[in-house]
Amino acid sequence: MPASLATTFLNHTYENPFMNASGVHCKDTKELNELDNSKSSTFITKSSTSLKREGNPEPRYFSVPLGSINSMGLPNEGFNYYLKYVIDRQQRMPKGNPAFFSVAGMSVDENLKMLKAVQDSDFNGVTELNLSCPNVPGKPQVAYDFDLLGEILQKVFEFFTKPLGVKLPPYFDFAHFDTAASILNRFPLVYVNCINSIGNGLYIDIEKESVVIKPKNGFGGLGGEYIKPTALANVRAFYTRLNPSIKIIGTGGIRTGGDAFEHLLCGATMLQVGTELYKEGVSVFDRIERELKEIMEKKGYTSIEQFRGKLRTL
């Protein structure tokens, strides 16, 4: 019996667990249409701010041997641009797979304003609140400020009743896993997305004796193979700590079917591809799906649920 990649998420069955990571191949309608017509089961929009942003000066993204480094600065077409796209798609494809809509305001108030607009709109997909973005100068990003994390979610769920997930940065300490999970478990979240890039890495061109991106004197978020072990650790840590009703989206270092298998084994339900999608284009989904099926069939699995979350320890 051939392996099936069918995945149930929020009472909807997707043909596979794959989608793009927010920020990659989703900045405009052309890229979103290409995703929608690819082998990915759904897509997430570029994290939007209230108004259009040009982002940081170029060069702000650089491919490196084991992944990427970037400091994009949230370039996007603005909240209304993406909301119109997903609502128009709903009307055009009423039976299509639900889309994901990402917001990443530059302040708590901006996030609340955008989420209220989503709540009042006709959008019936899934909303993602990016909590791994800047807070205020001199403070850590929102998800590293545990008091603020609880405060913003409390304010959100006073009015937001549609499906909502949150994008998290990587955590590196068991105490932080425990504290973050205890806060997240207080709210009716439908998922957490682990992880955003590992912040403030530095890559050096030894020939030029120089950094490779312009913003922040070369400091940027790491993605790709570099971050897979950290991503897997966060997926596993939250899978074993969160209420079963809160699903995990695994993001970070998914380059092959084997990488996807590892994320699923750790407990992820859906999977996002970022750096490799940037490097390879939307055909990456065909390849990774084929490789994942081959692994499953070699192991005798006919469905993802037969092994999802069943990581063995020694």
Side-chain angles (χ1 to χ4, degrees):
M1 186 175 175
S4 168
L5 300 185
T7 299
T8 301
F9 187 81
L10 296 184
N11 300 316
H12 183 89
T13 299
Y14 293 87
E15 54 265 37
N16 64 67
F18 294 104
M19 58 196 293
N20 65 304
S22 181
V24 183
H25 212 95
C26 56
K27 187 174 183 292
D28 55 32
T29 56
K30 176 180 179 293
E31 292 184 338
L32 288 165
N33 286 336
E34 288 172 357
L35 276 175
D36 213 10
N37 293 318
S38 75
K39 288 285 286 180
S40 67
S41 66
T42 183
F43 64 86
I44 185 165
T45 62
K46 181 81 175 71
S47 290
S48 63
T49 49
S50 297
L51 302 175
K52 180 176 179 176
R53 281 176 61 90
E54 295 301 327
N56 290 337
E58 303 276 3
R60 56 194 184 190
Y61 179 99
F62 194 83
S63 290
V64 298
L66 292 177
S68 61
I69 184 169
N70 82 87
S71 179
M72 302 297 290
L74 280 175
N76 73 94
E77 297 297 321
F79 175 82
N80 289 331
Y81 179 95
Y82 300 107
L83 187 62
K84 180 180 186 301
Y85 179 87
V86 291
I87 291 175
D88 287 350
R89 177 183 178 270
Q90 280 174 191
Q91 296 169 345
R92 191 175 71 250
M93 302 166 56
K95 295 184 179 180
N97 290 345
F100 288 65
F101 182 77
S102 176
V103 297
M106 304 303 287
S107 68
V108 172
D109 287 344
E110 186 180 2
N111 278 322
L112 294 174
K113 177 185 173 185
M114 288 190 289
L115 289 175
K116 284 175 181 173
V118 174
Q119 176 68 31
D120 294 339
S121 75
D122 293 330
F123 178 58
N124 60 17
V126 188
T127 304
E128 179 171 283
L129 173 61
N130 187 345
L131 294 176
S132 48
C133 56
N135 175 8
V136 295
K139 290 281 191 176
Q141 51 184 285
V142 172
Y144 286 153
D145 183 335
F146 291 126
D147 290 338
L148 184 59
L149 175 62
E151 180 186 324
I152 189 172
L153 290 176
Q154 183 67 46
K155 290 179 177 178
V156 167
F157 284 108
E158 287 174 1
F159 65 87
F160 201 83
T161 60
K162 295 181 176 183
L164 182 75
V166 292
K167 179 76 170 279
L168 297 177
Y171 295 100
F172 302 97
D173 193 290
F174 273 39
H176 295 159
F177 291 138
D178 293 340
T179 302
S182 70
I183 295 168
L184 297 168
N185 277 332
R186 290 171 15 209
F187 301 98
L189 293 162
V190 296
Y191 74 86
V192 299
N193 187 343
C194 303
I195 57 174
N196 207 332
S197 57
I198 295 180
N200 294 321
L202 191 65
Y203 190 86
I204 293 170
D205 182 330
I206 196 169
E207 296 300 322
K208 297 179 180 177
E209 301 180 18
S210 169
V211 300
V212 294
I213 59 174
K214 184 172 183 177
K216 296 170 64 177
N217 294 319
F219 284 73
L222 297 179
E225 291 178 75
Y226 285 119
I227 75 168
K228 188 180 76 168
T230 300
L232 293 174
N234 277 258
V235 168
R236 188 63 180 175
F238 283 106
Y239 178 74
T240 56
R241 285 169 173 78
L242 292 178
N243 299 329
S245 59
I246 304 177
K247 305 304 180 187
I248 313 290
I249 295 181
T251 308
I254 298 178
R255 189 178 60 86
T256 68
D259 300 326
F261 186 89
E262 291 177 29
H263 269 268
L264 295 166
L265 194 64
C266 285
T269 296
M270 299 285 282
L271 305 172
Q272 293 187 352
V273 183
T275 295
E276 200 61 28
L277 170 60
Y278 187 97
K279 292 183 176 184
E280 202 170 319
V282 295
S283 64
V284 69
F285 295 110
D286 297 80
R287 179 181 60 75
I288 295 180
E289 287 169 33
R290 184 176 66 253
E291 292 172 356
L292 177 58
K293 278 186 176 181
E294 288 171 355
I295 291 170
M296 290 171 60
E297 288 168 357
K298 184 178 179 180
K299 289 176 170 288
Y301 293 124
T302 56
S303 75
I304 288 173
E305 287 306 308
Q306 291 171 343
F307 65 90
R308 191 180 65 81
K310 297 180 180 178
L311 178 67
R312 298 170 185 164
T313 55
L314 303 181

